[in-house]
């Protein structure tokens, strides 16, 4: 069983390293998503996972400028640049969900009515959204 697992892993890594395999160009949406994931993996010290993501996705080695990333996602640059943007995004949507449970609305309903500009996530993540 362990030899099957080992050969499966070797086959996967071999496919990653095979230069003869043509991969399609990354769509811009994938570049943005991969960049959000890169930031999250780096923050949480998931270095092995990050190296596989970078190799498999062929994400450009140079990280995107965070201001550019925020601009593309229509977000204001957060006050705490050391915290991944994904944390603020999750906080924004979970806060909306919590508020909607209290008022009986849905996340979709509140997206149009929500005029909040700041979303916080404990311990100290603050993301400011463009309105």
């Amino acid at each position: 069983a362990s030899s099957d697992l080992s050969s499966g892993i070797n086959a996967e890594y071999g496919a990653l390293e095979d230069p003869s395999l043509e991969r399609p160009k990354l769509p811009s949406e994938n570049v943005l998503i991969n960049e959000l994931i890169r930031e999250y993996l780096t923050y949480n010290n998931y270095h092995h996972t990050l190296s596989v993501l970078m190799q498999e996705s062929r994400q450009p080695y140079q990280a995107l400028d965070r201001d550019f990333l925020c601009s593309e996602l229509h977000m204001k640059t957060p006050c705490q640049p050391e915290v991944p943007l994904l944390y603020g995004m999750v906080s924004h949507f979970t806060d909306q969900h919590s508020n909607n449970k209290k008022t009986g609305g849905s996340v979709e309903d509140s997206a149009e009515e929500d005029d909040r500009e700041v979303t916080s996530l404990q311990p100290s993540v603050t993301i400011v959204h463009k309105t």
Side-chain angles (χ1 to χ4, degrees), residues 1 3 9 15 22 38 48 52 82 86 90 97 105 109 120 122-124 131:
S3 66
I9 290 171
E22 286 191 39
R38 176 204 314 238
H48 291 63
V52 172
E82 68 278 357
L86 277 175
V90 168
H97 189 316
D109 294 338
S120 297
Q122 295 301 323
S124 61
T131 56

Side-chain angles (χ1 to χ4, degrees), residues 38-108:
R38 176 204 314 238
E39 189 180 49
Y40 167 82
L41 294 174
T42 301
Y43 179 80
N44 287 290
N45 295 313
Y46 297 149
H47 303 293
H48 291 63
T49 305
L50 177 60
S51 68
V52 172
L53 170 71
M54 297 304 290
Q55 186 173 8
E56 188 170 18
S57 69
R58 296 192 179 175
Q59 181 82 358
Y61 179 75
Q62 180 66 37
L64 292 177
D65 177 74
R66 189 157 186 179
D67 290 335
F68 173 79
L69 188 59
C70 288
S71 172
E72 290 296 304
L73 296 170
H74 304 287
M75 297 172 66
K76 290 183 181 176
T77 304
C79 299
Q80 297 166 312
E82 68 278 357
V83 179
L85 294 172
L86 277 175
Y87 283 104
M89 295 169 133
V90 168
S91 175
H92 176 75
F93 290 110
T94 56
D95 284 351
Q96 279 186 357
H97 189 316
S98 295
N99 290 336
N100 288 328
K101 278 187 173 179
K102 293 176 189 172
T103 63
S106 70
V107 173
E108 292 79 13

